[in-house]
Each structure stands twice: as structure tokens, then as C-alpha cells.
Amino acid sequence: MFRRSRAFLREARTAGKLTHENITVIHDVGEEQGRPYIVMEYLSGTDLRTMLERRAVMTLERQISIAAQICRGLAYSHGKDIIHRDVKPANIRVLENGRVKIMDFGIARLGSSALTSTGTILGTPYYMSPEQIQGKKVDRRSDIFSCGVVLYELFTSRKPFPVMSDLGDVQDCPRNSRRF
Amino acid sequence: MYKIVHEIPEGFEELERLFPPALPAILGRMLQKDPAERYQSMDAVVEAFEDLSEVLKEERQSRASRRGSAKPGTEKTLQRDRLHEASTIAAGETPCQPPFRRQVHPPGVLHSRRGIETSPAAAPGETWSCRWIARRRHCFGRCSVSSDAIQPAQWHGDTEHPSMGARHRHRTGRSWTGFSSGLPDHAMPFTLAPGTYVLTCANPGFVKTFRVRVVVAQDSLSQVTQTFPGYTIERVLARY
């Protein structure tokens, strides 16, 4: 546990050095009574996961603008040699003014990456790259893959690699409209 | 897990069919299994997206200019244009560009899949609010839909629409409540402005995505649903 929080602090500090309009600013990290904490900028708006779940209607321009901003943020961090490792819609926030912010930088490295800073457990690794799943070396190109999955979902509202039990669209219908 | 490592993205053909070709190309390359085949840096991806948005902007501009300098229409098309404009203005909407494939039917006549039916609620001067033009008929597959369907805007209270079952009742006014479309609740408050949309239609055990053009603003998705008998409009993916 101790080692973990060390890693947490280290990662958060490196991520804190990132200043880019598409990356969430981290003001402070530290430890309080043995618990690591992180102070980041306050963000309005909704995260991309919620937007996709609510099936927000977006114009093609808007989708492309969001996509380009995500890529720009990641390109900047890759330039600083920081790999996100956990690019997913829940980690991307779309502000009211249309600005996109990527969150949880480097924090995903914590442990097995099943735990993010908000404490949610990842159910299915939809957004993991093949090399990540196979336990091979992870580099910036696996961020590109994860980003690709997110963008695929952004444009089509469906996951490119759904799990078998996931009936997807059909399952989303109310029960009474399903007649098999 | 298996799919990520071994399979191609699901629904990729659809993506190719519905979006400008550059987009599936970018996503396809990002989703390569072998890192060496992907883009080697995020900067390249950013560049690709910037190119794409530029291409779209140019396309839009050229389309707009083409529309502006349209050659004068024949008597017949001009008349249709006027009719179209009159019907949209009457519906309280700002007149929009005539649709891709123009076909204006006189009010009082409902064009449904089954042919021409006379609407019971059609009164003189009644306005018609929605008109759907499917630009790509072949996309519908099993779902045979007329390429142009008109529904009246002001529907008199509790009148049943002839082309719909007794279950579908409408209230006076423009909102079509009481319509049991099987639509998820969160899909209801959408307002569809005129434009081209990519929609997903779900039928029990069958899902289809296609492109639809909205000519006059829609209050909610439920109005769209009526155009596709037997189908439920499930989600709006994008707007062009």
C-alpha cells in the first residue's frame, strides 16, 4: 500500500507538470493521514461516458473537434514522455464551452490499472490495447489504440469490441418492445 | 478481450458507409493490432483530423455556393419550391433549403408506405410539419419506407392517425405524446433541427443504421419513429 501511494504521488507530480489546454491542471498532490490526495482544477460540463450514455446529439464538426482535442492533449503529453495508459470516455470531460479536458493522467499506472483515481473498478477492459492485454510492453502507441476505441465510440455510439453478452443496441430497448 | 486481440472492429462497414471516407481510414489505422502498423505518433493523428475537418469545411462551402448559384428552375420546380416554402412558413418555421429530392404533396394527403391516404384531420389551411426524405433508400434493407412522408403538424385531439394502430394516439399540438414508441425516455427531449442525421433503428433482434434528412424542425424523436413502421428510432448518432 505504501509503495502504491508513492507511485501515485510520483505519477501525479509528473502529470502536474503538464500544462495544455486539453489536459486537466493538477494543482497539488500530497498525503494526508496516510491517504494520498490530489487537487485538480474544477471542471464543469459532463464526461464523455455520460454523453455517450445519454446519446447526446452532436454534429459531425463537434465530434471531429472533440476527437482532435483529445488527440492534441495526448500528443502534448507524449511529447513530454508521459503515457496516459487509461484513455477512456470516463476520463475525458467535455466542458460547456466545447473545450475537452483529459483527466487522470498517469494515475492509471497505479497498481493493475483496474482502479482509477475515482475508485471505480473497470468492468471490462474495452479500451485496452492488444499489447496491454497480453502484458507486453506498453508505449505511446497503445494510447493511440485506446484513443481509437474512444473515438470509434464517439462517432458510432458503439464499442468496436463489445463483449459477447453485450447485445448492445437491442438490449437498450425497453423490455416491452422486445419480442423475440 | 479476445476480440480486441483478434477481431476487426464491429460495425466498421457501417462506419465506412455513413461517414466521409477519411474518418474510417483514420480510426482503422488507430485500431491496428500491431503497434507498428498504427500511427507512430499522436501528432500524426492530430494532423489527420485537422485535414479531415478542412476537407469537410471546403465541401460545405462548395455545396453552399452551388446551392446559391442554382440555375433557374422550370415552372414546375419553382412552383414546388413555393409550395414547400409556404408549407414550412405556415408551420411556424423558418423556410429552409428545399430538400435534396423534392417532392411536395398537397396538404390533406398522407403519403405512407401503403400508398396515399387521406388524413381525417385535414382541414383547410392546416399546416404540415414534418417531412422525411431518405436519401439512400437502399440503406433501409428490410424496412421499406416511403422516401417522402408527410405528417400534419396540428393534429386534432385524440384523432387516430390512419396509418398507425389504435395504440398511437396524439394530443392536440405539436407534441406527439401518448405515442408508445418504445423509445427510451432519455431520447424524448431531443429537438431535431433541419439537417442530415445518422440514426440507428432498432427492431427486435435487428438493428440498422441509416442517414435521414430532416427538412423541418422536429420536436422529438417520436415523430421520426412514425416514418419507419415497425421500427424504433433508437439513437441519433451524428448530424451533418
Side-chain angles (χ1 to χ4, degrees):
Chain A
M1 189 63 208
F2 179 68
R3 203 177 269 171
R4 266 196 177 187
S5 57
R6 268 281 178 79
F8 171 85
L9 288 179
R10 197 184 56 233
E11 289 289 339
R13 280 200 186 109
T14 29
K17 285 180 196 142
L18 297 173
T19 43
H20 187 267
E21 55 174 17
N22 298 124
I23 292 172
T24 312
V25 181
I26 291 174
H27 295 299
D28 188 25
V29 285
E31 222 176 86
E32 183 71 43
Q33 294 168 357
R35 286 187 181 182
Y37 67 86
I38 185 162
V39 184
M40 55 179 163
E41 94 185 278
Y42 176 77
L43 299 174
S44 58
T46 41
D47 63 35
L48 198 59
R49 196 181 88 179
T50 320
M51 280 175 80
L52 290 172
E53 272 171 7
R54 288 188 189 151
R55 284 117 201 232
V57 181
M58 287 181 266
T59 62
L60 189 63
E61 282 93 19
R62 181 118 196 263
Q63 287 173 324
I64 290 175
S65 133
I66 291 174
Q69 288 186 68
I70 296 170
C71 294
R72 258 179 238 132
L74 287 173
Y76 171 83
S77 78
H78 287 176
K80 300 265 170 186
D81 260 341
I82 293 175
I83 303 165
H84 191 295
R85 283 159 212 267
D86 195 18
V87 182
K88 56 178 181 181
N91 277 344
I92 292 159
R93 215 167 170 90
V94 182
L95 310 191
E96 274 142 21
N97 59 9
R99 173 77 45 86
V100 173
K101 295 267 185 186
I102 306 171
M103 306 189 292
D104 288 358
F105 248 94
I107 294 161
R109 202 178 194 175
L110 210 169
S112 64
S113 163
L115 193 73
T116 67
S117 67
T118 43
T120 46
I121 306 288
L122 249 165
T124 323
Y126 287 117
Y127 305 99
M128 272 193 184
S129 62
E131 60 267 25
Q132 238 168 332
I133 287 172
Q134 291 166 334
K136 291 182 192 159
K137 195 174 159 273
V138 169
D139 60 8
R140 63 191 68 180
R141 290 174 301 183
S142 63
D143 262 5
I144 294 182
F145 184 92
S146 311
C147 181
V149 180
V150 172
L151 299 188
Y152 194 96
E153 206 182 335
L154 169 69
F155 284 104
T156 65
S157 293
R158 61 154 80 170
K159 294 183 173 69
F161 310 107
V163 291
M164 284 292 264
S165 63
D166 192 349
L167 274 175
D169 295 353
V170 179
Q171 213 162 46
D172 288 339
C173 298
R175 194 164 291 277
N176 59 10
S177 74
R178 261 186 280 149
R179 265 176 259 115
F180 283 107
Chain B
M1 292 269 223
Y2 177 84
K3 279 189 181 169
I4 293 177
V5 182
H6 297 285
E7 280 179 19
I8 60 156
E10 222 172 270
F12 197 74
E13 307 80 26
E14 220 155 65
L15 187 78
E16 279 176 325
R17 204 183 62 215
L18 296 165
F19 288 95
L23 183 71
I26 297 172
L27 294 183
R29 192 155 168 214
M30 288 175 91
L31 293 173
Q32 285 297 319
K33 308 289 173 209
D34 183 2
E37 282 177 30
R38 284 177 215 148
Y39 288 100
Q40 293 305 299
S41 73
M42 218 61 197
D43 294 308
V45 187
V46 173
E47 225 167 79
F49 271 112
E50 273 162 6
D51 288 348
L52 173 62
S53 63
E54 237 162 67
V55 167
L56 285 181
K57 217 177 277 168
E58 273 168 26
E59 218 170 74
R60 179 153 312 200
Q61 271 165 3
S62 71
R63 216 186 297 143
S65 65
R66 229 184 298 139
R67 220 183 262 156
S69 63
K71 53 183 179 198
T74 58
E75 183 61 40
K76 216 171 176 183
T77 55
L78 280 177
Q79 201 182 349
R80 275 194 282 166
D81 283 2
R82 251 179 273 124
L83 228 158
H84 167 76
E85 213 161 280
S87 66
T88 47
I89 293 169
E93 307 287 348
T94 47
C96 55
Q97 287 291 329
F100 179 69
R101 208 184 328 169
R102 258 179 266 121
Q103 222 184 335
V104 174
H105 303 295
V109 179
L110 177 87
H111 288 251
S112 80
R113 181 165 83 104
R114 280 184 253 152
I116 298 173
E117 289 164 313
T118 309
S119 143
E126 193 173 49
T127 53
W128 298 74
S129 88
C130 57
R131 214 144 60 83
W132 288 88
I133 296 204
R135 293 177 70 182
R136 294 175 150 200
R137 254 177 133 165
H138 64 272
C139 290
F140 294 118
R142 234 173 54 186
C143 166
S144 61
V145 172
S146 63
S147 63
D148 194 351
I150 304 187
Q151 267 121 30
Q154 255 88 54
W155 204 255
H156 295 310
D158 278 345
T159 318
E160 268 157 26
H161 197 289
S163 69
M164 284 167 268
R167 272 163 60 215
H168 311 313
R169 287 169 161 261
H170 320 297
R171 237 175 31 187
T172 316
R174 305 197 61 209
S175 57
W176 297 57
T177 49
F179 178 73
S180 58
S181 62
L183 213 70
D185 280 346
H186 56 258
M188 298 309 279
F190 287 152
T191 300
L192 300 184
T196 307
Y197 292 83
V198 179
L199 300 165
T200 303
C201 228
N203 209 18
F206 192 75
V207 179
K208 202 138 191 80
T209 307
F210 49 84
R211 209 141 65 159
V212 155
R213 191 176 167 112
V214 180
V215 181
V216 180
Q218 301 297 301
D219 285 343
S220 71
L221 276 185
S222 66
Q223 296 192 2
V224 189
T225 323
Q226 292 150 17
T227 322
F228 308 101
Y231 274 75
T232 305
I233 299 288
E234 232 266 315
R235 53 177 78 167
V236 180
L237 298 182
R239 193 183 151 208
Y240 283 78

